[in-house]
Amino acid sequence: MTATRVRDWVATHPLSPSDVDCATTVMLKILDGKCKMGSVDKIVMEALYDAVKDRPGQRFGDEFHALIADARRESSEALKNFIYETRVLAETTLSRSVMKAFKAMIRQEGLFAGLALEEETE
């Protein structure tokens, strides 16, 4: 249910190429194991990434998406370390203020609204 809800949210909220880069960066952070989000937020962010990964980013493109796809299929310590390095580079490229603005926007625009309750009933 969450993936459908997130796709519907994306369809009604125009996201910029910079927003796509932010979603990609968060996905890298989830995959490198350094993400401090709760389980519901991680599920939502993975669904958000899936909903926007085919859209053009401002800075990040096919090589980032291929890396994420590889990491979702298989896991190794070497791959996890490479993802970590890629994520740190991505966060440096985007700047903290851009990421904070993105996270604030998706919360303010209701991406996470009601999802904790939805998870409890599933």
Side-chain angles (χ1 to χ4, degrees):
M1 179 63 182
T2 300
T4 301
R5 187 176 184 285
V6 171
R7 279 193 304 273
D8 292 345
W9 184 90
V10 168
T12 60
H13 292 82
L15 297 177
S16 70
S18 180
D19 293 333
V20 173
D21 288 343
C22 290
T24 301
T25 302
V26 172
M27 189 67 206
L28 288 168
K29 193 164 189 169
I30 290 169
L31 291 170
D32 78 7
K34 305 295 183 191
C35 185
K36 296 178 184 175
M37 290 181 179
S39 60
V40 173
D41 287 359
K42 284 180 187 177
I43 291 167
V44 171
M45 291 308 297
E46 286 182 38
L48 178 61
Y49 171 77
D50 287 336
V52 301
K53 68 183 175 188
D54 294 325
R55 295 180 180 193
Q58 185 173 354
R59 298 167 188 89
F60 312 139
D62 293 340
E63 64 191 50
F64 278 75
H65 302 305
L67 176 61
I68 290 169
D70 288 346
R72 290 172 113 182
R73 277 192 302 274
E74 62 179 272
S75 180
S76 70
E77 198 59 34
L79 184 55
K80 196 173 187 180
N81 288 335
F82 186 69
I83 289 169
Y84 169 78
E85 293 169 8
T86 303
R87 191 260 306 166
V88 170
L89 177 65
E91 286 182 330
T92 302
T93 302
L94 285 176
S95 87
R96 178 170 273 166
S97 61
V98 169
M99 283 296 292
K100 280 187 159 193
F102 168 73
K103 290 176 182 177
M105 180 275 294
I106 62 176
R107 288 194 184 283
Q108 182 179 353
E109 293 296 321
L111 180 60
F112 297 94
L115 287 177
L117 295 175
E118 182 178 303
E119 181 183 70
E120 291 172 9
T121 60
E122 287 183 12

